[in-house]
């Protein structure tokens, strides 16, 4: 007799035990329930989410450094790496500008702040200063200088991704210049360090459900669900505009690479749910980098485009800022002309690039935009204090998808994308690993392709002894 199928409780228990997606989803729902029923207790659970994010941040900088150095050294072409950087910046500027324009058009059509007739003098402008900690956005010169490291160790200690990227580019270029014969042990060591970091990420990810539970319980307990009724029109508009922008991303991805964004969403559903629960794209960067590499994007493209996008390609934030600026103006009865709205786009194109990692950066950008127009009272920015945290989900999803699409598009543009492998992976096909029969990658975690596989230099031991390619020399 054939064995009987396991009972429903056993299937559920097995799914919860083996599926990170199911664990995070349950934690998300449980966090909402706890936040609603016991708000005072729920607000004390924030350290669960903050602690997880801190642990993930400790591995981001070394991981980016290792991926970029190995990508440059094994690709063997520094000029190609430079082209990838330029093409990425072009894509970022086009995408973020499109997000700003979509936000402005949506806010003009719907008018989420019309009829509110708010008296700016009745708003507590000091609350904005409290949220931002009295900080400010860096100027263009400060931003450029801030991207240059003044200490090798300091760049890692302060988790400055742009500085780490520059250091990684310099080290990768130096390895290419010196060649494998002069530094035969450096590249394998960095390669192995990368695998150690990915293993550490795997350990930390086991805490993801706890992080999502704590972060969601704190959000609901601190802000409640009533705020959604007060700002319903603005919230719905932001999410609909984000959905429209994501649909445009799907079209662009299909046209440029032939890949499906919806299949990619299914592929990274665990990471997306975790990012939603913790309201942080940084918490999933290591896992997303690994999945993009497995899906056929070359190491150097992933290592450069994704981390750079975290500073230069904040599409969700751009949408929110453009809609938020017009919402504030409409709420206080200010009618912005077409010229002033063009100024909004130009100012936000600059201020949105310096937002990453700055507390209360959205309010700083809004305040800077209001000051540049001269028509909106700066204190009116306080109107968004109650709803800003609710917008995190929209910003996180749009930012993350925008950067992932950028990786695929720039990789395809530069010829650094294995499209056949990408399609098979996104279709859910279990692809036999090229090297060691592991999890889809070779011994060092890379999806080996003809253009990246290199024979070792004469006299240098093979880095991947399990590969079948003959040694040289």
């Amino acid at each position: 007799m054939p064995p009987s199928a396991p009972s429903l409780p056993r299937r559920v228990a097995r799914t919860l035990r083996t599926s990170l997606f199911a664990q995070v989803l349950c934690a998300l729902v449980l966090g909402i329930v706890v936040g609603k029923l016991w708000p005072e207790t729920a607000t004390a659970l924030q350290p669960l989410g903050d602690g997880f994010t801190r642990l993930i941040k400790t591995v981001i900088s070394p991981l980016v450094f290792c991926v970029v150095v190995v990508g440059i050294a094994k690709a063997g072409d520094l000029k190609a790496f430079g082209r990838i950087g330029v093409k990425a910046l072009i894509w970022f500027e086009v995408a973020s500008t499109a997000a700003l324009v979509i936000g402005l058009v949506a806010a003009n059509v719907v008018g989420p702040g019309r009829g509110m007739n708010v008296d700016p003098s009745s708003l507590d402008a000091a609350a904005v200063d409290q949220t931002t900690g009295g900080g400010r956005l860096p100027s263009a010169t400060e931003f450029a200088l801030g991207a240059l490291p003044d200490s090798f160790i300091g760049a890692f200690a302060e988790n400055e991704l742009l500085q780490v990227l520059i250091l990684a580019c310099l080290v990768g270029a130096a390895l290419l210049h010196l060649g494998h014969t002069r530094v035969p042990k450096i590249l394998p060591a960095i390669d192995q360090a990368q695998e150690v970091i990915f293993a550490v990420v795997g350990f930390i990810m086991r805490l993801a459900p706890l992080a999502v539970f704590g972060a969601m319980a704190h959000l609901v307990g601190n802000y409640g669900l009533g705020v959604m009724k007060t700002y319903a029109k603005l919230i719905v508009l932001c999410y609909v505009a984000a959905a429209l922008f994501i649909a445009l991303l799907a079209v662009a991805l299909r046209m440029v690479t032939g890949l499906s964004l919806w299949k990619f969403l299914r592929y990274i559903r665990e990471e997306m749910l975790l990012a939603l629960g913790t309201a942080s794209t940084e918490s999933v960067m290591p896992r997303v980098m690994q999945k993009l590499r497995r899906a056929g994007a070359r190491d150097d493209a992933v290592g450069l485009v994704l981390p750079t996008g975290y500073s230069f390609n904040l599409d969700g934030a751009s949408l929110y800022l453009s809609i938020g600026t017009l919402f504030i103006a409409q709420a206080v009865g200010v009618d912005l002309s077409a010229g002033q709205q063009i100024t909004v786009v130009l100012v936000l194109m600059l201020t949105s690039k310096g937002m990453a990692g700055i507390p209360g950066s959205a309010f700083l950008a809004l305040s800077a935009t209001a000051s540049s127009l001269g028509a909106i009272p700066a204190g009116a920015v306080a109107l968004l204090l109650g709803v800003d945290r609710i917008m995190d989900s929209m910003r996180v999803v749009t930012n993350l998808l925008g950067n992932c699409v950028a990786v695929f598009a720039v990789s395809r543009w530069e010829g650094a994308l294995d499209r056949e492998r990408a399609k098979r992976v996104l279709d859910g096909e279990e692809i036999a690993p090229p090297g060691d029969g592991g999890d889809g990658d070779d011994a060092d975690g890379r999806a080996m392709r003809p253009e990246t596989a290199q024979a070792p230099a004469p006299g240098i031991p093979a880095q991947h002894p399990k590969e079948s390619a003959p040694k040289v020399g």
Side-chain angles (χ1 to χ4, degrees):
M1 293 180 62
S4 59
S7 62
L8 179 61
R10 287 187 177 182
R11 291 201 302 269
V12 172
R14 184 174 59 187
T15 300
L16 287 175
R17 187 174 63 253
T18 59
S19 171
L20 179 63
F21 179 80
Q23 294 170 6
V24 172
L25 183 60
C26 288
L28 190 71
V29 174
L30 187 60
I32 293 174
V33 172
V34 171
K36 178 64 176 176
L37 297 180
W38 301 285
E40 293 184 0
T41 302
T43 54
L45 297 175
Q46 186 178 10
L48 292 176
D50 291 346
F52 176 82
T53 303
R54 288 170 69 93
L55 284 173
I56 285 291
K57 283 184 176 181
T58 61
V59 299
I60 288 178
S61 290
L63 177 60
V64 169
F65 178 82
C66 292
V67 170
V68 172
V69 170
V70 172
I72 293 177
K74 291 188 175 179
D77 187 357
L78 193 59
K79 291 183 179 179
F81 198 73
R83 290 196 304 270
I84 289 174
V86 172
K87 291 173 181 178
L89 291 177
I90 293 173
W91 180 276
F92 293 160
E93 199 55 52
V94 172
S96 57
T97 302
L100 287 171
V101 172
I102 289 174
L104 283 180
V105 172
N108 275 296
V109 171
V110 177
R114 290 180 192 144
M116 294 184 68
N117 300 319
V118 175
D119 181 7
S121 62
S122 65
L123 299 172
D124 183 12
V128 177
D129 293 332
Q130 183 179 358
T131 302
T132 59
R136 65 180 183 86
L137 293 175
S139 65
T141 302
E142 291 171 337
F143 180 74
L145 288 176
L148 301 177
D150 57 4
S151 166
F152 198 101
I153 302 300
F156 290 88
E158 297 174 8
N159 225 21
E160 294 287 348
L161 279 186
L162 291 181
Q163 295 183 10
V164 171
L165 273 174
I166 290 176
L167 289 173
C169 292
L170 292 174
V171 173
L175 288 177
L176 282 181
H177 177 70
L178 294 173
H180 292 287
T181 56
R182 297 179 65 182
V183 283
K185 296 182 180 180
I186 298 296
L187 186 58
I190 296 176
D191 217 354
Q192 291 164 11
Q194 175 180 276
E195 290 310 303
V196 172
I197 294 170
F198 274 126
V200 171
V201 170
F203 297 147
I204 297 174
M205 289 300 295
R206 296 179 182 178
L207 302 175
L210 280 177
V212 170
F213 168 72
M216 188 54 60
H218 168 75
L219 170 64
V220 177
N222 196 38
Y223 295 94
L225 299 177
V227 69
M228 298 185 70
K229 298 178 181 178
T230 305
Y231 291 92
K233 194 173 183 181
L234 175 62
I235 293 171
V236 170
L237 175 62
C238 285
Y239 277 85
V240 170
L244 174 61
F245 180 77
I246 291 172
L248 292 178
L249 283 179
V251 173
L253 182 65
R254 175 72 73 177
M255 291 177 61
V256 175
T257 67
L259 303 178
S260 167
L261 184 62
W262 317 121
K263 290 181 179 179
F264 178 73
L265 262 173
R266 183 180 62 192
Y267 175 59
I268 63 164
R269 61 185 180 275
E270 295 173 352
E271 291 74 24
M272 187 62 70
L273 196 59
L274 175 58
L276 282 170
T278 59
S280 169
T281 53
E282 286 186 337
S283 65
V284 298
M285 181 193 281
R287 290 261 301 196
V288 170
M289 289 180 72
Q290 192 173 31
K291 285 201 167 182
L292 287 169
R293 295 159 72 221
R294 288 178 177 174
R298 207 167 66 197
D299 288 6
D300 49 351
V302 174
L304 180 62
V305 178
L306 189 67
T308 307
Y310 272 57
S311 294
F312 287 92
N313 191 40
L314 303 175
D315 298 328
S318 298
L319 266 171
Y320 171 64
L321 291 174
S322 56
I323 293 176
T325 301
L326 260 68
F327 168 79
I328 294 169
Q330 294 165 357
V332 298
V334 175
D335 186 18
L336 297 180
S337 65
Q340 289 174 314
Q341 293 192 31
I342 293 174
T343 302
V344 168
V345 172
L346 295 176
V347 171
L348 291 178
M349 283 174 62
L350 296 175
T351 56
S352 63
K353 300 297 183 291
M355 287 176 55
I358 300 176
S361 56
F363 295 103
L364 292 172
L366 287 168
S367 298
T369 306
S371 300
S372 66
L373 293 174
I376 305 175
V381 175
L383 276 171
L384 292 174
L385 283 172
V387 75
D388 182 73
R389 187 65 177 80
I390 305 297
M391 298 299 186
D392 276 344
S393 298
M394 179 273 291
R395 290 192 292 246
V396 162
V397 170
T398 311
N399 288 343
L400 184 57
L401 285 180
N403 286 320
C404 290
V405 169
V407 171
F408 280 125
V410 174
S411 298
R412 173 61 176 164
W413 193 359
E414 182 56 29
L417 176 66
D418 185 342
R419 284 205 302 167
E420 291 306 313
R421 181 180 179 86
K423 289 179 179 179
R424 292 169 65 190
V425 169
L426 297 188
D427 283 337
E429 185 176 341
E430 294 290 338
I431 302 178
D436 63 355
D439 60 358
D441 299 324
D442 68 345
D444 72 348
R446 292 176 300 118
M448 287 291 290
R449 294 174 292 281
E451 67 269 26
T452 58
Q454 296 181 358
I460 305 302
Q463 295 178 32
H464 308 288
K466 296 181 183 179
E467 294 175 7
S468 58
K471 296 181 181 179
V472 179

